[in-house]
Amino acid sequence: MKTTGIHIDLAGQTALVTGASRGIGREIALTLARAGANIIAVGRNIEAKDNGLGAEIRELGKEFHAVDCDLADRSQIRALISRLAAEGRKVDILVNNAGVIRRARAVDHADADWDDVMAVNLDAPFLLARELGRQMVERKHGKIIFVASVLSFQGGIQVPGYAASKGAIAQLTRALANEWAPFGVNVNAVAPGYVDTANTAALKADESRSAALMARVPAGRWGTPQDIVGPVLFLASGLADFVHGAVLPVDGGWLAR
Ligand code: NAP
């Protein structure tokens, strides 16, 4: 991987970003493309959804492929892996970003919600990391970046399934890093704090809860998807070649307080 001064150059590399239809994932895909990577955007019905991402990326002179995959369905993940192999697409950078949240008190947290959260937030990232990581290990290079959360460190309030899934992602990051660091594959995570996206719309709409949350953020504001992409870009680049198993808070200081 080439880096020139502080210029990050991902030219010639392919990044697969899950959940690139909107929010943090869309911004990550765009930023990696701006740094020179070709992009495979994975999501539900993402081939038909026109969120303008493909046009923006092609305008940068980079390749863009949208691939439909419901990450809650293992058979669709297996089909995705087969399709990538059949099309001869090698993934140098995997960003496991897609995620869902279900807010409910623990006593009301339904089985179906628990299963959905675990399938998308934990099972799918593991399956993708296992299958694409195996190829990276063979090639002796690659970057895997999980999108964890401050709830990888804290229990949160009325999101028990989500907190459990994100806690597990932090441990998975460390477990895979231990296995794959000797092969030149970097496995790391970013742990966003409170970021203004659809994921947090219900919280933001609750004025008193939102004010209480922001009063506790040293930076004093909601994060934006743009706040998250710099650390992801760093972890995707050669600047992070000696970084293994890190779960990097990107939270306006939330965890420091
Ligand atoms: P978002 O705007 O709700 O985006 C979630 C993305 O995940 C969407 O692209 C969505 O695609 C995709 N997704 C959900 N279920 C899927 C499925 N079954 N199959 C394929 N794709 C699926 O949320 P966000 O805030 O950008 O979240 C991105 C990541 O950051 C998540 O892992 C989230 O947990 C994490 N995070 C967010 C915050 C925050 O404050 N926002 C904080 C910490 C961590 P569709 O268009 O198909 O729904």
Side-chain angles (χ1 to χ4, degrees):
M1 185 170 298
K2 278 187 296 181
T3 52
T4 314
I6 57 164
H7 178 68
I8 292 175
D9 183 2
L10 301 180
Q13 305 208 38
T14 297
L16 186 152
V17 182
T18 67
S21 66
R22 55 189 158 88
I24 294 169
R26 187 185 193 284
E27 208 55 39
I28 290 172
L30 197 51
T31 300
L32 295 178
R34 286 190 180 125
N38 297 318
I39 302 297
I40 301 171
V42 171
R44 283 177 297 193
N45 303 319
I46 199 165
E47 293 177 31
K49 270 183 206 160
D50 183 12
N51 67 356
L53 180 64
E56 275 189 73
I57 288 176
R58 290 192 185 104
E59 226 165 78
L60 294 166
K62 295 294 141 193
E63 289 177 24
F64 176 81
H65 301 280
V67 184
D68 284 348
C69 181
D70 182 343
L71 294 166
D73 179 349
R74 283 176 189 223
S75 68
Q76 292 196 30
I77 299 174
R78 282 193 290 272
L80 164 68
I81 297 294
S82 302
R83 178 170 163 185
L84 294 175
E87 293 176 358
R89 297 194 197 288
K90 290 194 186 109
V91 174
D92 305 286
I93 301 161
L94 166 64
V95 185
N96 268 316
N97 162 78
V100 291
I101 193 162
R102 300 278 189 271
R103 295 179 195 282
R105 297 184 310 161
V107 291
D108 299 323
H109 202 297
D111 288 356
D113 285 337
W114 178 273
D115 291 347
D116 274 359
V117 167
M118 290 300 163
V120 178
N121 294 11
L122 181 58
D123 299 354
F126 174 63
L127 258 66
L128 287 171
R130 185 183 66 195
E131 297 310 315
L132 298 176
R134 177 182 289 123
Q135 299 166 18
M136 291 177 186
V137 164
E138 279 167 14
R139 295 199 302 270
K140 296 203 164 36
H141 103 108
K143 306 280 183 198
I144 298 177
I145 300 148
F146 290 98
V147 178
S149 167
V150 288
L151 298 191
S152 298
F153 305 94
Q154 301 173 310
I157 298 171
Q158 298 187 357
V159 284
Y162 183 82
S165 72
K166 294 297 186 179
I169 281 294
Q171 287 299 73
L172 182 60
T173 300
R174 298 176 184 115
L176 297 182
N178 289 340
E179 283 199 38
W180 294 344
F183 300 97
V185 176
N186 298 80
V187 185
N188 292 292
V190 291
Y194 289 85
V195 180
D196 186 4
T197 68
N199 174 293
T200 48
L203 275 184
K204 204 166 181 221
D206 181 339
E207 280 182 27
S208 62
R209 184 83 201 284
S210 176
L213 284 171
M214 289 310 110
R216 195 192 174 286
V217 179
R221 66 169 174 84
W222 284 83
T224 65
Q226 290 82 0
D227 287 321
I228 310 303
V229 298
V232 172
L233 181 58
F234 159 67
L235 291 173
S237 78
L239 295 175
D241 279 352
F242 200 54
V243 182
H244 294 281
V247 183
L248 175 61
V250 190
D251 63 351
W254 171 271
L255 289 173
R257 179 157 285 185

